[in-house]
Amino acid sequence: MAFILRRPFAISMAFKQSSRSSAAPLRAFHNHPFKSSQTNSFTSKPSSPISALTKSRDAFRRTYMQQPYQAARPDTGSLGQRLLYGAGIVGGTLVAINLLFNRETREDGGMPPFERKYLNETFMHTGLGVGIIGIAARALHQNGWSVRLMAANPWAVVGLGLAASIGTMYGTFNTSPDNYVQKYALWTGFNVTQAAILSPLMFMSPALLARAGLYTVAMMGSIAFVGATAKQEKYLYLGGPLLAGVAIVAVSGLAPLVLPATAARTLMWTDNIWLYGGLAVFGGFTLYDVQKVLHHARMAERGLVQRDAVNESISLELDFLNIFIRMVQILGMRNNRK
């Protein structure tokens, strides 16, 4: 991944090489001794008007009568096949997950209006948060923040990033929904902090980032559908096992900062745990968080807790970001193998 992040400097190197190569013929032209031939000036034949007319006509044909440019037509057949394949994969995944995890549906006649409203508010704040992160990451990347972040000490980046993220997150959690100015300010600070940490991803191809985002939305959408239509509180027991799993994933992600480069086999296993184990863990967290949102909606309807869609959205934002990062890495590894 490091060589991909260094790709922007290849453009300037290409300009330097082209300028050097273009300067060589000029030096050769000026250094070449001038040879005068007096015999050619006296013995050369004068050009006739017919030959001059022929030369000018040939030059006109070469200049103005060339073949018109034909733009390459996109292969609509292959594009349509890819769209069909993608729709089939998403639909098949949705059906498979629904059949596997959602055999016991709700027995209360469906989702009540207050649960649906609370869930829609949570998804709306989740989308707004992800949008703020994307726009802020793009703006920081254009201002050179990504280069300065990559040149900094990795331990300092990890420590300051965790401190800022945890501080703004718990500040948002502990702020009452009635104090909406402070709450939304802390929530915005949390999103900007995530954008500052993830801004080096903007070195990747925009097409790759778009594909990773599409796959993440498809994965989270299918899992959220299962969590919303499943039996009440069916997957709330997953909280403890998922916390243990995320601890293992976090430790495996810090392994490259501790282990030496000679431990290649160990680093390979820790990378696989961080990558594919993280996908499974945060997919499970999506299922758990959706059911937790519905549980809090029922408690808020009884007056036990306050309605707070901002707090609920932070958990889903973290699920989205962790799945998205792993999708980007998987697609980048796939492109490198081609």
Side-chain angles (χ1 to χ4, degrees), residues 1-14 141 146-147 150-151 200 202-204:
M1 184 175 179
F3 74 93
I4 297 176
L5 300 180
R6 288 195 294 266
R7 286 293 298 168
F9 301 102
I11 300 176
S12 59
M13 294 299 296
H141 178 72
S146 301
V147 178
M150 293 171 57
M202 293 298 166
F203 282 122
M204 307 293 288

Side-chain angles (χ1 to χ4, degrees), residues 97-105 223 225-242 284-292:
I97 292 176
N98 193 23
L99 291 176
L100 183 61
F101 295 102
N102 203 15
R103 296 181 180 179
E104 297 180 4
T105 55
I223 296 175
F225 175 78
V226 172
T229 58
K231 191 176 179 179
Q232 293 183 4
E233 304 178 3
K234 181 180 179 180
Y235 297 108
L236 290 181
Y237 73 93
L238 293 176
L242 288 174
F285 264 116
T286 303
L287 187 63
Y288 169 78
D289 290 334
V290 170
Q291 289 240 305
K292 186 180 67 174

